[in-house]
Amino acid sequence: MTTALVFSFVAKALFVVMFGMNVAVILTWVDRRQGAVIADRVGPNRAVIWLPRRLAQGMVAGPALLLAVGVIAFFLTNKAEGVERMGRALLFTHLAILATWLTGLAIAGRVRARGVNAEAGAVVANLDRFFAWLGDPRIFVYAGLGAHAVTLLASGLLRGTTTGTSLREVAYGASPAIFAVAVAGGAVYAASSFTEDRVGLRLFGLLHPAADGLKTMFKEDFVPPNADRFLHSLAPFISFFPALVVLAVVPFGDTLCFGDKGGKIDFGSLARTVPREGLCTDGAVALQVVDVNVGILYFFALAGTGIVGAALAGWASDNKYSLLGGLRAASQMVSYEVTLGLTLIGAIMVYGTLRIDEMVRWQAENTWGLFVQPVAFFLFFAAAVAESKRIPFDIPEGESEIVAGYFTEYSGMKFAMFFFAEYVAVVASSALMAAIFLGGWALPFIERDGIYLAIGDTVLVRQSLTHLSVVLLGVLAFVGKTLLLCWLQITIRWTLPRFRYDQLMRLGWRKLLPASLVNILVTGLIILAIASASPSVMNALRIAGDMTELLVAVLGIVALGALVRFVLAPAEKKRMVVSSAQKFAAALGGVKSARMGA
Amino acid sequence: MAMSNIVVGGALGPNKVSGKPVKRPVRSAGVQSYVPEIAKGLGITMSHFFKNTKEMVLSQRNDPVLEGIDDGINCISYPEQRRPYPERFRGLHRLTHREDGSVRCVACLCCSTACPAQCIHIDAGEYPEGDPRRGYERFPTRFVIDELRCVFCGFCVEACPCDAIRMDTGVHAAPYDSREQFIYEKDTLMSFVGRDGTQLTANPRHEPGDSTHPGVDREKHH
């Protein structure tokens, strides 16, 4: 088991580090997107990897064909009987419907965007004409959702009847085939629509930050002549390291329970349902790199170390602007650290623990921290933005006053480390906020044994899920919440102007700090009041907690629906060729036959 | 202080205060706390972000850079193929000729004076004894342009009173391997041909001694 423990530790650490760094890279992309949005232009999408056509076709079609073949093979080799047969028939029916309407939507959207592709061959062209004839791509969404609903209704109504049984048999046999055909067909269509010799891989411009990161490694590493060479080189590491390791105490998912089969790990337990109450004792793997019982203190201790890097960089650079920037960074971070810590006191009083995973459990059981400590959330968010030294609190690097502050004299990879540390710090603070105020991995009405929709003692919906899917859903929820908060911070950066230095200090010491102290006082009074409350009041509070979960669930579904609706809204694009080069081409008798890649 | 004196009183006297009442800024709790305005601003940023990102990802938005160069010209095999320059493109300078093939320039130094880059150097010389132009005009013994220093502003062409310098060659300064090769002497500048294929200009030139010469000359005293 020790090998397994070491392995799980390494895997978790790798996950957390990769999560932090990758999200930071994506954040730089989002940041650039916001910059593009301000100027209403197209964002960073110039970085491109050209793939030969065959390779691109293989990359698109290969995995999909493998998936299709795998599903068929699974269906042929594994027979399910009894209850399991019904479950599998339902699952594959939904998968088939999903794959069909997604494929149809994607193809119809492509056809609508670029017209019928006459160059790609008769089959594709005719298919394109068919999809163009079908019209609005959104009909696929409506039809698909309708099919899901019909399937759900039919499975509920016809359960146990003979029609139901025969339908089940049809679904059991046909749905894997339909799924395989839809997936493979969509992939083959996508592959066959590549008509040029090379295909550009752009990933929405995500390669751009990657290319930038690569570039910084090869840039000159300049150290000012009179700078302290050692400290100058050390500072970026001191700044970068804590930002990354603070993530170690943030739990990113519920505890995984592996069974113990005679000294061996029983992976089969992941596919079973675990009891709702209580945690497994042996074979438990907490999805958190280090499980310390002073988690939150560790977080603050290390997060506070980051300023040493900034201050050191300012001092070691032998530059007055750097020194001013370093001093500003130090004073700002020390000021806001106080608020940051004190706002959490209220939350800690409510949760009664310093362990972040137990805080999440409390929230999963009762309600999200956002609802019990709304003021603390607001104050913490403001202080966390200030702590990451980003606009509107980027006094330490205020370009208009002190060039670039403490990293004025940095270049190449060392500069990139400061830059990157900032983004990783955003990820870390967002992850902490997600864990403490937004319920971490907890989703409304999803318990350890599955979906359990209940208000008070009234149970509305109950559906058991396997342990693995519950935990995976939790991890996804945590990642989603973290991304949402990260994005909110980036949006703030692109919305607000910078504070003046005295305004910053006044906000920290005279507004946020007293507010956090008042928050502690009020929280204490309320906790005392609740401690001596009657059972009926406690019951009302419990129902109120369930109502907040319901609110979150409804809001989430509404937001998701609005997003889908927004994404599917048609936008007609007109090709715009205005360049003088085009006029010259026309003057020379130029023809529009070949595309030029840039 | 000065402001208050002007606004209150003024010519109307101390008791007759007139003027437009200025609305005081609203200082409600919402405004002072800055929070509603932040939320509003965030909403605007978010809506633009969603719209712009969606249109970029789904290729529903014009990309001026990619589309600007994707216009049918795939590749130009320079120097065998060249992109045509606009009609009024300012290329290398040329010194225009007179009918007899001599330089049109009268070495008035207007161009070198107007030149912001100071890249034109002219040594003026007198025509030899007996030449009808002697005493009326001079000619450049040396006319040098440093094409590397030139900013191609066209001021020299504007300044020239005799249409003697032009930038209508349609030739851009090609790279050479040393700085000296960018120093164009008079004979080089005179060897260039305009886009119309001639070394002359369309403007007529009336030499001293011609009957069409409008000004004062030796024969026509005023």
Side-chain angles (χ1 to χ4, degrees), chain A residues 148-178:
Chain A
H148 281 302
V150 167
T151 314
L152 271 179
L153 266 179
S155 71
L157 290 177
L158 300 175
R159 195 175 287 251
T161 62
T162 42
T163 332
T165 316
S166 51
L167 264 181
R168 184 193 74 187
E169 286 310 308
V170 171
Y172 181 79
S175 56
I178 295 175

Side-chain angles (χ1 to χ4, degrees), chain A residues 29-30 33-34 36-37 40-43 45-46 202 204 378 487-488 491-492 494-497 499 563 566-567 569 571 573-577 579 581-582 584-585 588 591-592 594-596 598, chain B residues 34-35 37-38 40-43 45-76 82-87:
Chain A
W29 177 81
V30 173
R33 287 278 330 126
Q34 299 271 22
V37 168
D40 198 34
R41 57 183 161 77
V42 174
N45 60 352
R46 297 283 173 268
R202 289 181 201 271
F204 316 128
F378 180 75
W487 175 66
L488 196 58
T491 310
I492 285 176
W494 280 101
T495 304
L496 297 181
F499 281 106
L563 188 70
F566 169 76
V567 168
K573 172 193 163 192
K574 285 203 177 58
R575 212 182 132 74
M576 169 190 70
V577 182
S579 75
Q582 201 260 346
F584 299 144
L588 282 181
V591 283
K592 291 163 71 82
R595 284 180 66 86
M596 185 177 187
Chain B
Y34 199 37
V35 174
E37 294 301 315
I38 289 181
K40 226 189 272 177
L42 283 179
T45 315
M46 285 175 185
S47 65
H48 281 280
F49 176 78
F50 275 124
K51 184 166 178 292
N52 187 301
T53 306
K54 172 205 158 194
E55 291 180 354
M56 187 200 90
V57 170
L58 296 182
S59 315
Q60 291 169 341
R61 165 168 283 267
N62 292 312
D63 187 336
V65 176
L66 286 185
E67 296 192 359
I69 54 181
D70 176 21
D71 56 7
I73 296 184
N74 194 21
C75 192
I76 301 259
R82 300 185 183 209
R83 272 187 194 217
Y85 282 126
E87 200 181 331

Side-chain angles (χ1 to χ4, degrees), chain B residues 13-187:
Chain B
N15 295 327
K16 293 181 179 174
V17 178
S18 76
K20 198 172 145 192
V22 178
K23 212 177 147 200
R24 305 304 302 171
V26 183
R27 291 197 181 275
S28 63
V31 171
Q32 289 294 85
S33 75
Y34 199 37
V35 174
E37 294 301 315
I38 289 181
K40 226 189 272 177
L42 283 179
I44 290 173
T45 315
M46 285 175 185
S47 65
H48 281 280
F49 176 78
F50 275 124
K51 184 166 178 292
N52 187 301
T53 306
K54 172 205 158 194
E55 291 180 354
M56 187 200 90
V57 170
L58 296 182
S59 315
Q60 291 169 341
R61 165 168 283 267
N62 292 312
D63 187 336
V65 176
L66 286 185
E67 296 192 359
I69 54 181
D70 176 21
D71 56 7
I73 296 184
N74 194 21
C75 192
I76 301 259
S77 307
Y78 183 87
E80 289 82 16
Q81 300 174 331
R82 300 185 183 209
R83 272 187 194 217
Y85 282 126
E87 200 181 331
R88 300 183 64 179
F89 171 74
R90 291 197 287 268
L92 287 182
H93 310 75
R94 70 178 171 111
L95 287 179
T96 54
H97 292 212
R98 301 183 193 219
E99 296 287 342
D100 60 358
S102 64
V103 69
R104 207 174 153 101
C105 173
V106 298
C108 69
L109 308 189
C110 277
C111 55
S112 61
T113 309
C115 181
Q118 303 193 359
C119 66
I120 304 178
H121 173 77
I122 301 170
D123 284 343
E126 290 287 349
Y127 282 101
E129 206 60 64
D131 192 303
R133 296 171 200 159
R134 184 181 166 88
Y136 292 96
E137 349 178 309
R138 297 184 294 173
F139 75 98
T141 52
R142 276 189 84 207
F143 193 109
V144 188
I145 299 182
D146 184 348
E147 296 287 355
L148 207 55
R149 184 177 268 268
C150 175
V151 294
F152 295 92
C153 64
F155 283 6
C156 51
V157 181
E158 300 289 330
C160 183
C162 345
D163 198 11
I165 185 167
R166 284 192 166 204
M167 297 175 80
D168 61 355
T169 51
V171 180
H172 61 259
Y176 299 122
D177 44 18
S178 77
R179 284 175 185 274
E180 287 72 41
Q181 285 166 296
F182 286 97
I183 313 280
Y184 283 16
E185 291 284 348
K186 189 172 103 182
D187 49 350

Side-chain angles (χ1 to χ4, degrees), chain A residues 301-382:
Chain A
L302 271 174
T305 321
I307 61 159
V308 179
L312 213 55
W315 185 83
S317 290
D318 186 38
N319 180 324
K320 290 188 181 69
Y321 293 126
S322 298
L323 187 58
L324 280 173
L327 289 175
R328 284 181 176 197
S331 61
Q332 175 181 333
M333 291 178 84
V334 166
S335 306
Y336 279 85
E337 196 87 26
V338 180
T339 313
L340 211 57
L342 283 177
T343 45
L344 273 195
I345 298 285
I348 292 169
M349 282 158 71
V350 174
Y351 302 146
T353 175
L354 287 175
R355 301 175 66 103
I356 303 179
D357 55 332
E358 278 178 18
M359 293 184 182
V360 177
R361 291 229 160 74
W362 190 93
Q363 293 175 74
E365 205 170 296
N366 298 287
T367 181
W368 286 8
L370 178 63
F371 297 108
V372 285
Q373 287 281 304
V375 181
F377 175 70
F378 180 75
L379 296 176
F380 190 85
F381 192 83

Side-chain angles (χ1 to χ4, degrees), chain A residues 7 24 37 87 116 167 213 220 235 244 262 267 297 305 324 332 341 422 444 451 479 487 501 546 556 562:
Chain A
F7 174 76
V37 168
V116 173
L167 264 181
E220 184 191 354
L244 204 56
F267 287 102
L297 299 184
T305 321
L324 280 173
Q332 175 181 333
E422 229 171 65
I451 301 171
V479 169
W487 175 66
Y501 192 71
D546 289 340

